[in-house]
Amino acid sequence: MAAAKSLKRRRTRAPRPTMSSMSPRHSHEEDEESEGDYSDVYCEECGSGDAADELLLCDKCDRGFHLFCLKPILVAVPKGSWFCQSCSEQKKLKKFPLIQTKIIDFFRIQRSSESALKPSKDNKKRRKCLVISKKKRRLLPFNPSEDHERRLHQMASLATALTTTGTEFCNDLTYMPGMAPRSANCAALEGGGMQVLSREDAETLKMCKTMMGRGEWPPLMVVFDPKEGFTVEADRFIKDLTIITEYTGDVDYLSNREHDEGDSMMTLLSASDPSKSLVICPDKHGNIARFINGINNHTLEGKKKQNLKCVRYNVDGECRVLLIANRDITKGERLYYDYNGLEHEYPTHHFV
């Protein structure tokens, strides 16, 4: 690969075809020496040269593609080399092995292999009690699939997505050296204040975490869609106001991530002092939340797809982000929420 200056130019611009392009391709050196070859750019998918700053060049065939014309779309130029679909090796996803012991180890389930993932009579009794008193509760715990074999499939689907994207599973916020310390996560710094999670709802959230630690998984399946990439489907009926998951990942200052190319960052703390604002970065550590897709909130059809809401809560003085069902969700329905909320900063107009 050429020097950094040329790399940046080649990664963001693609040449419009000329008569000379019908003959054998120019050498790599000739391309690097001729800046004019990249002055007129176009997209292989739509044929347009508009939005040149959003054109991405394949590092193998030099053909160009708009970030928003790709399937699935990209929201930023990716780090490192990038290859178009025809140049990349189209191998089938390497599925995580459907072996109970491997799944238990991957998700660090704190139970013996003999009893993990199997139905518990005590748990069933507790869930029945919750159903009876649900009118008194604002949030509901998820209801795991009773078939432990089905839960194995659900967990294996998430493990496949995490290993494919190089993400280590973590079901809590993580505080890494060189990033924001846990002491920085102070809900009192939120500009305008933050909604406090009630004691009862905090107990429900704790129950969900405990169930997952035992291998009683939310009824969710991660699937791969050629247009949307990894996405999440309900694997059984989910009732309105059910806690789906907490948004987890590495916590960092927003100021450190202003030029980050990650497409899954989530606001954790929007402080009155911008230097104290925090974001969740799930690219290295995360859970199923990073694979739940956003709606196109510029269209009516896109808005109709929304079945989750993203809410930031003050939980014991710290900021936490929860994804919660905002209506009943049928089995097989894909999960979507609005990436923007009240901020309207995320570019969703090209979303499927």
Side-chain angles (χ1 to χ4, degrees):
M1 186 60 69
K5 181 178 179 181
S6 297
L7 175 62
K8 183 177 180 181
R9 171 175 57 78
R10 296 186 66 241
R11 289 300 303 279
T12 57
R13 291 189 177 183
R16 184 178 297 280
T18 61
M19 291 303 295
S20 60
S21 66
M22 301 301 179
S23 59
R25 288 180 62 235
H26 292 289
S27 67
H28 177 72
E29 291 75 17
E30 289 174 335
D31 286 337
E32 289 300 313
E33 292 173 359
S34 179
E35 287 286 338
D37 290 344
Y38 294 91
S39 62
D40 197 9
V41 298
Y42 85 111
C43 171
E44 292 285 339
E45 295 293 333
C46 68
S48 170
D50 296 337
D53 58 335
E54 296 188 74
L55 276 167
L56 179 64
L57 189 67
C58 174
D59 282 298
K60 184 174 182 180
C61 68
D62 287 344
R63 295 187 301 163
F65 301 85
H66 280 122
L67 298 176
F68 49 80
C69 287
L70 294 169
K71 304 297 182 183
I73 69 168
L74 296 176
V75 297
V77 176
K79 296 178 180 178
S81 298
W82 177 83
F83 303 98
C84 67
Q85 185 175 2
S86 60
C87 290
S88 61
E89 294 183 358
Q90 296 303 305
K91 296 182 179 179
K92 291 184 178 180
L93 287 176
K94 185 178 181 181
K95 293 186 177 180
F96 195 86
L98 195 64
I99 301 174
Q100 180 167 302
T101 53
K102 289 185 177 294
I103 291 174
I104 288 173
D105 291 341
F106 184 89
F107 291 107
R108 300 185 292 277
I109 295 173
Q110 300 300 312
R111 289 183 66 181
S112 65
S113 59
E114 290 80 15
S115 59
L117 304 174
K118 293 183 179 179
S120 167
K121 293 182 180 179
D122 291 338
N123 292 336
K124 287 184 179 179
K125 289 180 181 178
R126 280 197 292 272
R127 286 197 291 271
K128 287 180 179 178
C129 292
L130 286 170
V131 171
I132 292 173
S133 60
K134 65 182 179 181
K135 291 184 179 179
K136 300 179 182 179
R137 302 186 66 86
R138 195 153 47 107
L139 299 180
L140 299 174
F142 59 77
N143 192 12
S145 300
E146 295 181 0
D147 182 357
H148 78 281
E149 289 292 335
R150 191 60 185 171
R151 293 208 297 272
L152 277 175
H153 281 276
Q154 294 162 358
M155 297 169 74
S157 73
L158 174 56
T160 296
L162 290 170
T163 53
T164 300
T165 56
T167 307
E168 181 180 342
F169 175 74
C170 186
N171 211 30
D172 297 291
L173 295 176
T174 49
Y175 300 89
M176 306 300 293
M179 298 186 187
R182 185 165 186 169
S183 59
N185 185 358
C186 180
L189 299 175
E190 174 75 13
M194 182 177 289
Q195 182 177 351
V196 177
L197 191 68
S198 69
R199 180 178 61 83
E200 191 175 32
D201 288 344
E203 291 176 355
T204 301
L205 175 61
K206 183 178 180 180
M207 177 184 296
C208 291
K209 295 275 190 174
T210 301
M211 286 194 294
M212 292 186 70
R214 290 195 300 259
E216 297 178 26
W217 218 248
L220 306 173
M221 191 74 74
V222 184
V223 298
F224 185 81
D225 183 282
K227 291 185 178 181
E228 298 185 70
F230 284 110
T231 187
V232 180
E233 295 180 350
D235 204 35
R236 71 179 300 178
F237 174 79
I238 298 175
K239 190 167 181 59
D240 184 18
L241 292 181
T242 295
I243 295 178
I244 301 299
T245 185
E246 178 178 359
Y247 205 101
T248 66
D250 296 334
V251 178
D252 201 0
Y253 290 107
L254 174 62
S255 57
N256 293 342
R257 300 282 179 156
E258 287 181 333
H259 303 291
D260 196 291
E261 296 173 346
D263 61 353
S264 300
M265 282 193 300
M266 169 68 71
T267 299
L268 178 63
L269 171 63
S270 183
S272 300
D273 180 353
S275 67
K276 297 181 179 180
S277 293
L278 302 175
V279 290
I280 304 171
C281 310
D283 52 327
K284 291 183 173 59
H285 303 90
N287 62 4
I288 200 168
R290 70 161 296 180
F291 302 113
I292 299 177
N293 285 331
I295 62 168
N296 181 336
N297 55 11
H298 296 269
T299 68
L300 181 60
E301 286 302 313
K303 293 178 180 179
K304 286 181 179 179
K305 292 163 63 174
Q306 181 174 356
N307 47 24
L308 303 182
K309 60 181 178 181
C310 179
V311 187
R312 291 186 295 132
Y313 285 105
N314 176 340
V315 183
D316 296 328
E318 293 185 342
C319 307
R320 306 273 285 276
V321 180
L322 302 184
L323 295 180
I324 302 165
N326 65 355
R327 61 172 172 81
D328 289 349
I329 304 172
T330 60
K331 179 180 179 181
E333 187 176 346
R334 290 188 178 176
L335 306 187
Y336 294 95
Y337 67 101
D338 190 345
Y339 279 7
N340 283 302
L342 301 176
E343 296 163 340
H344 299 289
E345 294 179 351
Y346 200 92
T348 68
H349 50 290
H350 294 301
F351 279 20
V352 177

